[in-house]
Amino acid sequence: MAKVSLVDLDVTSKRRPFPNLALMKLSAYHKSKGDEVYLNFPLIQPDITYASCVFTWNGRRRDGLPPEAIIGGSGVDLKAELPPEVEHIMPDYSLYPNVDFSMGFTSRGCIRKCPWCIVPEKEGQIKPWARIYEFWDRRHTKITLLDNNLLAAPNWRQTMEDLIAEGLKVDFNQGLDIRLLNEENLDYLKRVKASELRFAF
């Protein structure tokens, strides 16, 4: 049994932590192997250290990590990916005890090439990724979708139908592409439970 240290480099004294999806998946994977997993707990002597950084301005915080640490996240490496057996595992939501929602991607990539956005370089062309059942913890009535351009995804109808069928309250966290609105997807949006709709682009 290994001791695994997970380091969320975006957690600071000034920022309430938003759950790091990659770390939750790594936690689930290692716990399934019988390993002990610790988040942001520097007092242990770990066998393996993973660190994740979403925001570039926190990238410098990796300087305090052990040299053998495995580091990923868009804040430090746009090409780093989780292995498939980790990427498609149910996240370990207990890693962030105050989180009362599930989160994940049903699609990756985007059809746009906005000059300020890293998504085209990081994820490439838009493609289906998973159904909500891969990351939806049935104890949660709320779900956050991290899709970068859901309405452009080939599987957007399936995602909407799943959300409606399960009665989940959804947060389209990355916004919806207002240029893609039409009568069909507007009908779905009227039927899905969303506290608010954010439109981007």
Short mmCIF file of all heavy atoms in Angstrom, two decimals, residues 2 17 23 37 43 52-53 80 147 152-153 156 184-185 187 199:
data_model
loop_
_atom_site.label_atom_id
_atom_site.label_comp_id
_atom_site.label_asym_id
_atom_site.label_seq_id
_atom_site.Cartn_x
_atom_site.Cartn_y
_atom_site.Cartn_z
N ALA A 2 0.64 2.11 -0.95
CA ALA A 2 1.44 3.33 -1.09
C ALA A 2 0.74 4.51 -0.44
O ALA A 2 -0.49 4.55 -0.32
CB ALA A 2 1.69 3.62 -2.56
N PRO A 17 -11.39 26.82 -2.36
CA PRO A 17 -11.06 25.83 -3.39
C PRO A 17 -12.26 25.36 -4.20
O PRO A 17 -13.31 25.03 -3.65
CB PRO A 17 -10.47 24.66 -2.58
CG PRO A 17 -11.02 24.83 -1.20
CD PRO A 17 -11.18 26.31 -1.00
N LEU A 23 -7.44 15.66 -9.70
CA LEU A 23 -7.02 15.11 -8.41
C LEU A 23 -8.07 14.17 -7.84
O LEU A 23 -7.73 13.15 -7.22
CB LEU A 23 -6.71 16.24 -7.44
CG LEU A 23 -5.50 17.12 -7.78
CD1 LEU A 23 -5.30 18.18 -6.69
CD2 LEU A 23 -4.23 16.29 -7.96
N VAL A 37 -4.54 8.09 0.48
CA VAL A 37 -4.48 9.33 -0.30
C VAL A 37 -4.66 10.53 0.62
O VAL A 37 -5.55 10.54 1.48
CB VAL A 37 -5.57 9.34 -1.40
CG1 VAL A 37 -5.55 10.65 -2.16
CG2 VAL A 37 -5.38 8.16 -2.35
N LEU A 43 2.72 16.93 5.83
CA LEU A 43 3.43 16.30 6.94
C LEU A 43 3.76 14.84 6.69
O LEU A 43 4.54 14.25 7.44
CB LEU A 43 2.60 16.43 8.22
CG LEU A 43 2.30 17.87 8.68
CD1 LEU A 43 1.49 17.87 9.96
CD2 LEU A 43 3.59 18.67 8.86
N SER A 52 -1.52 19.43 -9.29
CA SER A 52 -2.30 19.95 -10.41
C SER A 52 -2.48 21.45 -10.25
O SER A 52 -2.72 21.95 -9.15
CB SER A 52 -3.66 19.26 -10.46
OG SER A 52 -4.43 19.75 -11.55
N CYS A 53 -2.36 22.16 -11.37
CA CYS A 53 -2.49 23.61 -11.38
C CYS A 53 -3.33 24.02 -12.59
O CYS A 53 -2.95 23.76 -13.73
CB CYS A 53 -1.10 24.26 -11.45
SG CYS A 53 -1.13 26.05 -11.48
N ALA A 80 -0.34 17.65 -20.88
CA ALA A 80 -0.44 16.56 -19.90
C ALA A 80 -1.85 15.98 -19.89
O ALA A 80 -2.84 16.72 -19.91
CB ALA A 80 -0.07 17.06 -18.51
N ASP A 147 -17.96 21.31 -20.00
CA ASP A 147 -17.82 21.34 -21.46
C ASP A 147 -17.54 22.77 -21.93
O ASP A 147 -18.20 23.72 -21.50
CB ASP A 147 -19.10 20.85 -22.13
CG ASP A 147 -19.48 19.44 -21.71
OD1 ASP A 147 -19.49 19.17 -20.50
OD2 ASP A 147 -19.79 18.64 -22.59
N ALA A 152 -22.15 22.84 -29.39
CA ALA A 152 -21.47 22.45 -30.63
C ALA A 152 -21.09 20.98 -30.64
O ALA A 152 -20.66 20.45 -31.67
CB ALA A 152 -20.22 23.30 -30.84
N ALA A 153 -21.25 20.30 -29.51
CA ALA A 153 -20.81 18.91 -29.40
C ALA A 153 -21.75 17.97 -30.14
O ALA A 153 -22.97 18.17 -30.13
CB ALA A 153 -20.73 18.51 -27.93
N TRP A 156 -24.67 16.66 -27.86
CA TRP A 156 -25.36 17.61 -26.98
C TRP A 156 -26.78 17.17 -26.66
O TRP A 156 -27.26 17.35 -25.54
CB TRP A 156 -25.34 19.02 -27.57
CG TRP A 156 -26.25 19.25 -28.74
CD1 TRP A 156 -25.93 19.15 -30.06
CD2 TRP A 156 -27.64 19.63 -28.70
NE1 TRP A 156 -27.03 19.44 -30.85
CE2 TRP A 156 -28.09 19.73 -30.04
CE3 TRP A 156 -28.54 19.88 -27.67
CZ2 TRP A 156 -29.40 20.07 -30.36
CZ3 TRP A 156 -29.85 20.22 -27.99
CH2 TRP A 156 -30.27 20.32 -29.33
N GLU A 184 -34.48 24.24 -31.66
CA GLU A 184 -34.35 22.91 -31.06
C GLU A 184 -33.63 22.96 -29.72
O GLU A 184 -34.13 22.45 -28.70
CB GLU A 184 -33.62 21.95 -32.00
CG GLU A 184 -33.54 20.54 -31.43
CD GLU A 184 -32.74 19.59 -32.30
OE1 GLU A 184 -32.06 20.06 -33.24
OE2 GLU A 184 -32.79 18.37 -32.03
N ASN A 185 -32.43 23.57 -29.69
CA ASN A 185 -31.72 23.55 -28.41
C ASN A 185 -32.35 24.49 -27.38
O ASN A 185 -32.24 24.27 -26.17
CB ASN A 185 -30.21 23.79 -28.58
CG ASN A 185 -29.86 25.07 -29.30
OD1 ASN A 185 -30.50 26.10 -29.12
ND2 ASN A 185 -28.80 25.01 -30.13
N ASP A 187 -35.52 24.69 -26.95
CA ASP A 187 -36.56 23.86 -26.34
C ASP A 187 -35.97 22.99 -25.23
O ASP A 187 -36.56 22.84 -24.16
CB ASP A 187 -37.22 22.99 -27.41
CG ASP A 187 -38.30 22.10 -26.82
OD1 ASP A 187 -39.31 22.63 -26.32
OD2 ASP A 187 -38.12 20.86 -26.83
N PHE A 199 -24.23 32.92 -21.19
CA PHE A 199 -23.89 32.83 -22.61
C PHE A 199 -22.56 33.52 -22.85
O PHE A 199 -22.26 34.57 -22.28
CB PHE A 199 -24.99 33.46 -23.47
CG PHE A 199 -26.28 32.70 -23.40
CD1 PHE A 199 -27.30 33.12 -22.56
CD2 PHE A 199 -26.47 31.55 -24.15
CE1 PHE A 199 -28.49 32.41 -22.47
CE2 PHE A 199 -27.65 30.84 -24.08
CZ PHE A 199 -28.67 31.27 -23.24
#
